[in-house]
Amino acid sequence: MSIHFNTVLKRSLAAAFCLGMAFSATGCASQSSANTTAPADGGVTVRIAYLSTANYLTTLRNEDFVASTMSPDSASFSGPFNPPSDAFQAVQSGQADASSTGTGHFLRLISQDTPWVAFAIEYYDGDSQGIVAAPGSGVKSLKDLYGKSIAIDKKGATGDYIVKAAFSHAGLDYTKVNEVEMSQTDFAAAFASGQVDALASYDQNLASAIATEGATLLVTGKDYDSKNVSIHMVSSTFAKEHPDTVKRLYNALVKESQRAQQDPSFIYDTYREFGASDSLIDQVRKFDVPTIKPIDADGKALLAAQAQQYVDFGFIDAIPDIDAHTIDCSK
């Protein structure tokens, strides 16, 4: 067997970041590989809708070891998807089987009993998410943001979680700040022009904000014990019909994680492939290198703790049935 590469740029990236901060939705040429051998007889192909970020489900598409790890099954890849909701729609419409998201968004999905099953947590210490004060804002602390504006992606999403978790941990009232919802592609202009006083975001958006001259990093997830990390998931139908294939995909993610602990350079190469500037990559290099963990008792406890936060913050009404939407691939 081998890996199928069908790299369809669902909403293609532009050649560079928009001011180094977010991906553009304009198109560029699609990519493909000649490595298109079918899986072994009786094997199953898991179709992965990967995102425009360098998580391990994305970087796996370039790894030779996936073939032997997945055998007798195989994996095909389509993407990068931006925004991520396009990837989720691809899975739910039957065009793909697997994708990635944040644990918070996953909890919101399953709180609505949508047909997703998570099989791996991509854990990091939280330093790649946080709040940055804009140049010229005069903001030097979280409390300084009272009465001021913070750009977030949307209410109930990661940026909103960052604001509420950070302010709550600091004993501050998050209702005293003005959260401004906007597309991530608008973050750069709003941040640089002073339309907002701060940005609450993660990954490359946070890295670019930190690297902006005159900006001030106020807090990261390490400071407020963030429980929001990455998670990999498949459709519930695929999980039910092909549990062994899901475990093989988990094992491939573990190998990718182990490789990154030794040499994470391929992560930064992926950001560069997606158009990141050298200065942005230099900031990303400072972030914690993620580790793949199973959704065992500890993994479920992490999800349950964040679910309680989501209830407290009003994002969801009740803690969802985590057992029904997860697989422990370490067994």
Side-chain angles (χ1 to χ4, degrees), residues 127-132 201-210 287:
D127 64 353
S128 60
Q129 54 189 277
I131 302 175
V132 186
S201 194
Y202 56 95
D203 198 31
Q204 65 267 23
N205 291 316
L206 181 72
S208 187
I210 293 172
F287 293 157

Side-chain angles (χ1 to χ4, degrees), residues 64-76:
D64 291 337
F65 68 75
V66 178
S68 58
T69 306
M70 289 294 299
S71 182
D73 300 323
S74 68
S76 67

Side-chain angles (χ1 to χ4, degrees), residues 286-305:
K286 300 175 184 178
F287 293 157
D288 185 42
V289 177
T291 302
I292 291 294
K293 295 187 176 184
I295 308 181
D296 53 11
D298 290 340
K300 290 178 182 179
L302 176 67
L303 291 173

Side-chain angles (χ1 to χ4, degrees), residues 130-132 142 145-146 148-153 159 162-163 167 174 177-182 187 195-201 218:
I131 302 175
V132 186
L142 289 179
L145 283 169
Y146 277 3
K148 295 184 179 292
S149 58
I150 306 177
I152 62 170
D153 39 7
I162 291 169
V163 171
F167 275 73
Y174 54 74
V177 301
N178 178 28
E179 292 179 305
V180 180
E181 296 178 85
M182 63 177 62
F187 279 168
Q195 294 178 43
V196 293
D197 299 297
L199 170 70
S201 194
L218 302 178

Side-chain angles (χ1 to χ4, degrees), residues 34-72:
N35 191 357
T36 57
T37 305
D41 289 345
V44 174
T45 297
V46 56
R47 300 165 299 168
I48 297 167
Y50 69 89
L51 308 182
S52 58
T53 187
N55 69 40
Y56 294 140
L57 200 60
T58 293
T59 61
L60 269 184
R61 76 197 197 284
N62 296 321
E63 301 292 5
D64 291 337
F65 68 75
V66 178
S68 58
T69 306
M70 289 294 299
S71 182

Side-chain angles (χ1 to χ4, degrees), residues 130-144:
I131 302 175
V132 186
S137 65
V139 172
K140 301 298 180 184
S141 69
L142 289 179
K143 194 170 184 178
D144 288 343

Side-chain angles (χ1 to χ4, degrees), residues 30 78 216 240 246 264 285:
S30 63
S78 61
T216 301
K240 181 178 180 180
V246 176
R285 289 178 188 274

